[in-house]
């Protein structure tokens, strides 16, 4: 039987989602807790790979077992007790054998949080960036971004993918308060390092250090070396993974 896990995590202490040879990952930590609780080796497949230091308010993964699980509140609580405090399982629910955490997903929605004021309690959860930014120019850049589908210029050079096309649903900047600014972006898929590189490049636009014409030429160049520096990982959050209704029908 196949089960989906809905979870969240603070990525500060981890070398990303995927199992790493040289560091602790979210995937490895989750597998260890499930293996301990179920008494047999458990492998999980995530909806996508978040980089080192990136957070997730909503992430999904699936795993397979031979027999049905007794999905009580106490069962999920017991697994959460085995997990560190920066990883939390919200629910576990059965899905069809063909449902896949990664390949059944239709969209991913990310947010990137920038703050002008230093905050002792959120130093690893937002990007402290002091320069004043022109949000109107940055949103004009978002309008240009939405006119394109090839984002090779914003992908890490070592990305092992068949193509660099992504269909964006939206991209925009919005003030959450006077000192905090959030970038919202949703697409059917994302390339390795794509969101952070877009953010880093748009921060150049917001400081009027790059024109909108230059930004579009970066997109058209399909060359990572011409785009801006990637923004730090600590401001990035995976906030929603979209699935067909049938996949989530047993979610509680």
């Amino acid at each position: 039987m196949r089960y989906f896990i809905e979870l969240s995590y603070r990525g500060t202490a981890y070398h990303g989602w995927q199992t790493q040879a040289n560091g602790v990952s979210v995937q490895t930590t989750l597998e260890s807790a499930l293996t301990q609780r179920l008494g047999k080796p458990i492998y999980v497949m995530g909806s996508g790979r978040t980089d080192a230091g990136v957070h997730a308010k909503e992430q999904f993964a699936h795993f397979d077992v031979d027999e049905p699980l007794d999905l009580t509140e106490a069962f999920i609580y017991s697994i959460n007790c085995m997990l560190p405090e920066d990883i939390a399982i919200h629910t576990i629910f059965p899905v069809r054998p063909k449902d896949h955490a990664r390949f059944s997903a239709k969209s991913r929605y990310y947010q990137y949080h920038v703050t002008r004021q230093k905050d002792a309690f959120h130093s690893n959860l937002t990007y402290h960036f002091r320069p004043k930014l022109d949000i109107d120019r940055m949103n004009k850049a978002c309008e240009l971004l939405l006119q394109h589908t090839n984002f090779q210029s914003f992908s890490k050079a070592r990305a092992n993918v068949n193509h660099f096309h992504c269909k964006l649903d939206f991209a925009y900047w919005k003030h959450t308060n006077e000192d905090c600014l959030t970038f919202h972006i949703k697409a059917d898929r994302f390339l390795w390092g794509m969101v952070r590189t877009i953010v880093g490049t748009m921060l150049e636009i917001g400081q009027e250090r790059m024109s909108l014409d230059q930004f579009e030429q970066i997109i058209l160049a399909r060359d990572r070396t011409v785009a801006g520096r990637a923004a730090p990982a600590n401001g990035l959050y995976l906030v929603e993974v979209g699935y067909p209704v049938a996949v989530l029908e047993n979610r509680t």
Side-chain angles (χ1 to χ4, degrees):
M1 292 192 64
R2 177 160 293 182
Y3 290 88
F4 264 37
I5 307 170
E6 180 188 352
L7 69 151
S8 59
Y9 51 85
R10 186 171 68 247
T12 306
Y14 300 97
H15 287 235
W17 164 266
Q18 189 178 20
T19 297
Q20 304 288 331
N22 59 348
V24 179
S25 72
V26 178
Q27 180 184 13
T28 301
T29 305
L30 182 60
E31 287 174 345
S32 177
L34 288 168
T35 296
Q36 180 181 352
R37 178 62 180 83
L38 297 177
K40 60 186 70 177
I42 299 294
Y43 170 79
V44 301
M45 167 63 69
S47 70
R49 304 170 183 175
T50 53
D51 290 342
V54 175
H55 319 291
K57 292 185 177 180
E58 180 181 270
Q59 170 70 293
F60 286 91
H62 77 248
F63 66 96
D64 297 321
V65 291
D66 296 329
E67 299 177 355
L69 300 177
D70 185 14
L71 298 175
T72 62
E73 183 177 335
F75 174 76
I76 295 175
Y77 175 78
S78 67
I79 302 175
N80 274 323
C81 288
M82 298 174 183
L83 288 167
E85 62 181 19
D86 51 11
I87 300 176
I89 292 177
H90 302 292
T91 187
I92 300 175
F93 57 96
V95 294
R96 298 166 298 185
K98 65 178 182 179
D99 292 331
H100 194 283
R102 179 181 175 189
F103 298 126
S104 296
K106 300 299 181 184
S107 64
R108 284 89 174 170
Y109 169 23
Y110 283 89
Q111 293 178 357
Y112 193 95
H113 299 280
V114 178
T115 179
R116 296 191 69 221
Q117 296 295 330
K118 184 177 181 180
D119 188 329
F121 299 100
H122 295 90
S123 60
N124 291 317
L125 301 176
T126 59
Y127 179 29
H128 177 215
F129 189 78
R130 184 63 184 168
K132 190 171 182 180
L133 298 168
D134 186 334
I135 189 174
D136 291 332
R137 294 185 87 246
M138 294 161 75
N139 275 325
K140 287 178 181 177
C142 288
E143 293 174 7
L144 291 173
L145 198 69
L146 291 169
Q147 296 174 18
H148 297 271
T149 60
N150 188 305
F151 298 104
Q152 185 171 354
S153 291
F154 302 110
S155 173
K156 288 187 179 180
R158 294 182 289 115
N160 183 21
V161 294
N162 295 323
H163 65 87
F164 296 91
H165 290 275
C166 308
K167 182 181 178 182
L168 299 187
D169 292 329
F170 56 71
Y172 62 91
W173 289 86
K174 186 176 181 180
H175 280 290
T176 50
N177 58 49
E178 184 179 351
D179 294 314
C180 296
L181 186 63
T182 301
F183 179 55
H184 302 258
I185 187 167
K186 182 179 179 180
D188 61 339
R189 65 192 289 264
F190 286 92
L191 304 169
W192 186 17
M194 176 176 163
V195 179
R196 291 169 55 200
T197 307
I198 290 174
V199 170
T201 306
M202 286 195 175
L203 292 178
E204 297 290 307
I205 295 170
Q207 297 173 84
E208 299 187 9
R209 296 170 60 177
M210 179 186 295
S211 70
L212 294 174
D213 287 340
Q214 288 174 316
F215 180 66
E216 186 156 38
Q217 288 306 310
I218 287 172
I219 299 172
L220 294 172
R222 301 179 181 180
D223 180 357
R224 173 63 185 90
T225 63
V226 302
R229 182 176 61 181
N234 58 301
L236 184 59
Y237 292 75
L238 174 62
V239 297
E240 181 182 273
V241 184
Y243 291 98
V245 174
V247 175
L248 302 180
E249 62 182 356
N250 293 317
R251 179 186 181 189
T252 56

